[in-house]
Amino acid sequence: MTSTQLLSLDDPRALLRHLYDVAVQRALPLHNTAAHLPAPPKGRTLVLGAGKAGGTMAHAVEALWPQGAPLSGLVVTRYGHTPPRPDGLAQRIEVVEAAHPVPDAAGLDAAQRILALAQGLNEDDLVLCLISGGGSSLLTLPCDGLTLSDKQRINRQLLESGAHIGEMNTVRKHLSRIKGGRLAAACAPARVVTLTISDVPGDDVSVIASGPTVADATTCADALDILRRYGIDVPAAVRQQLEAGALETPKPGDPRLARCETHLIATPQQSLDAAAEAARALGLRAYVLSDEIEGESREVGKVHAALARSTALGRCSFEAPCVILSGGETTVTVRPRAEGQPKGRGGRAGEFCLGLAQALNGQPGVWALAADTDGIDGVEDNAGALVAPDTLARAAALGLKVGDHLSRNDAYGYFQPLGDLVMTGPTHTNVNDFRALLVT
């Protein structure tokens, strides 16, 4: 074992945080935008966008677009996610903020303005659409018969139902006047170039931010089926429109989308590969499981724990010391609370760590970090959490039981007293879940 490797294993928490930071850095827009920018058009260039990385993407385009070429537009990002403007960079794109994951009036206003800007374009014009995760709630424009209050309720119920991102976005597309390819249709006949940062398993561009500029293969019937499956009500008038197919989205082959193209500028796999390379540079073996892992967060945590235990005990093909990496988008089904029980706090990453810690049961030689690459786990101020061999013992000394916290989805309340929350603040990008297990 080299001295570099010994140093890296001497502080497992710092090593894991380093790998997370490398993954985030790989997904920052300024490093990934230039190769995908088209040349300025004969007409005007309009920038429209939505997502947690929207502010950073706008800054990247402003920095890279020729200074003499016209550029204007509007992008909406999450509250607190607009990065500081680089010194000397002139503002040509307006950036506004709105709520995530439950939409608000500011998001509604931004979506109305964006759709209005798309009107009246011609064939000589170019629309640059900057799309990243979080755009589904930030770009809120309910269909006829649906109020913002209805949309907020439906969104909350979807988030708590355990529905995966594809199901949630199928519903969102069909209850919107701007998602599911409708924004691109409004821009016709202009050329539409979408630059997107993937936060979904499989990098399906029609799912990222509910695909406002991408043809949608799902149907009103699909949306109705999902609503029924999870017991989510919509107003009778909206249900009738869904049943009649009146809220259908633009489909593949729609002529209004003929001049649209989409480029993935950052993906979860790229970030996992960058973290793996950083681990190998420290003398560690690195294994990337997948960037498409889905399922209940706590159950995914248990599966990762089984793999880590097998590796620590020399019972699988992974050889320690090593780092095991994975990504994707897990889900949290919010459990009913007993009367008088406090509401739990936490998101997917924290719940993964609860399930992992419980299943590891103090396994020596295993540390882990799970965090969302946007820096926000659910609606809290942490990105995720850390797990160590002594996590359960330290928690027990404080009177904390992992099972109790799992029963009320309270990862934040478990890891905060331990000092094991991962705090980063907004990272200004988003390639979804990042998980790293260190087995020594």
Side-chain angles (χ1 to χ4, degrees):
M1 195 177 295
T2 68
S3 58
T4 302
Q5 189 175 9
L6 284 168
L7 285 172
S8 68
L9 295 178
D10 190 53
D11 190 348
R13 295 166 181 268
L15 186 153
L16 291 168
R17 177 57 189 268
H18 169 66
L19 298 183
Y20 169 83
D21 291 341
V22 167
V24 169
Q25 186 75 12
R26 175 62 182 82
L28 290 176
L30 190 59
H31 306 316
N32 302 294
T33 300
H36 302 286
L37 281 178
K42 286 172 58 178
R44 55 186 292 222
T45 299
L46 177 67
V47 177
L48 304 174
K52 297 176 193 173
T56 325
M57 295 178 84
H59 287 179
V61 171
E62 287 173 329
L64 296 166
W65 199 250
Q67 292 303 305
L71 187 72
S72 64
L74 175 64
V75 170
V76 57
T77 191
R78 182 176 178 164
Y79 290 124
H81 280 243
T82 305
R85 176 164 292 277
D87 291 341
L89 182 63
Q91 181 170 2
R92 296 190 277 175
I93 303 165
E94 182 183 358
V95 178
V96 298
E97 298 184 342
H100 177 279
V102 177
D104 68 355
L108 176 62
D109 179 68
Q112 289 173 329
R113 292 180 60 198
I114 285 171
L115 195 59
L117 287 170
Q119 307 302 313
L121 299 171
N122 63 50
E123 292 184 353
D124 290 332
D125 296 330
L126 168 68
V127 181
L128 284 177
C129 284
L130 310 180
I131 302 298
S132 57
S136 290
S137 63
L138 295 167
L139 205 59
T140 296
L141 199 55
C143 64
D144 290 339
L146 200 68
T147 66
L148 176 59
S149 177
D150 291 329
K151 198 74 180 283
Q152 290 169 329
R153 173 185 57 80
I154 293 166
N155 220 55
R156 287 192 188 96
Q157 290 176 329
L158 283 169
L159 289 166
E160 295 181 357
S161 70
H164 63 69
I165 187 64
E167 292 174 321
M168 287 193 284
N169 285 0
T170 294
V171 172
R172 287 163 166 166
K173 287 185 230 185
H174 289 89
L175 300 183
S176 171
R177 286 186 283 138
I178 197 168
K179 301 185 181 78
R182 291 185 176 94
L183 177 58
C187 292
R191 180 188 180 194
V192 178
V193 176
T194 299
L195 306 182
T196 188
I197 295 177
S198 173
D199 71 326
V200 300
D203 302 330
D204 185 345
V205 293
S206 72
V207 176
I208 302 166
S210 298
T213 61
V214 182
D216 175 36
T218 69
T219 65
C220 287
D222 294 328
L224 273 170
D225 181 63
I226 293 162
L227 290 167
R228 291 191 190 104
R229 191 181 318 146
Y230 293 105
I232 298 171
D233 290 328
V234 295
V238 174
R239 180 172 294 279
Q240 290 168 5
Q241 291 182 81
L242 287 171
E243 290 170 345
L247 299 180
E248 207 50 89
T249 48
K251 300 299 177 223
D254 190 306
R256 294 171 296 174
L257 277 57
R259 300 190 68 208
C260 297
E261 58 192 87
T262 302
H263 302 279
L264 282 163
I265 69 168
T267 68
Q269 186 65 50
Q270 291 170 350
S271 286
L272 291 174
D273 289 343
E277 188 176 326
R280 294 178 187 122
L282 294 171
L284 290 166
R285 299 174 186 86
Y287 306 99
V288 178
L289 296 181
S290 173
D291 70 334
E292 298 186 38
I293 293 177
E294 300 180 84
E296 278 289 325
S297 295
R298 63 181 66 192
E299 300 303 324
V300 174
K302 292 175 184 178
V303 172
H304 280 65
L307 183 57
R309 285 172 62 87
S310 295
T311 302
L313 296 171
R315 295 175 181 170
C316 78
S317 58
F318 291 175
E319 186 178 350
C322 67
V323 170
I324 301 169
L325 300 160
S326 72
E329 182 162 6
T330 58
T331 55
V332 174
T333 301
V334 177
R335 268 57 178 178
R337 283 185 288 143
E339 188 174 347
Q341 187 181 55
K343 180 177 173 61
R345 300 173 63 191
R348 300 188 307 262
E351 183 123 340
F352 168 90
C353 287
L354 284 177
L356 178 78
Q358 184 182 56
L360 284 173
N361 195 29
Q363 173 67 46
V366 179
W367 287 260
L369 179 151
D372 198 310
T373 51
D374 68 359
I376 305 294
D377 189 23
V379 297
E380 304 301 334
D381 58 359
N382 67 311
L386 283 153
V387 174
D390 62 351
T391 292
L392 296 185
R394 287 186 292 120
L398 296 175
L400 304 172
K401 296 181 179 179
V402 69
D404 290 347
H405 286 262
L406 273 169
S407 70
R408 61 177 185 270
N409 307 105
D410 188 30
Y412 196 100
Y414 187 82
F415 289 105
Q416 184 185 42
L418 300 178
D420 285 343
L421 293 176
V422 176
M423 311 293 286
T424 67
T427 64
H428 309 300
T429 191
N430 182 21
V431 287
N432 233 322
D433 300 343
F434 174 87
R435 296 176 287 267
L437 281 69
L438 173 64
V439 185
T440 59

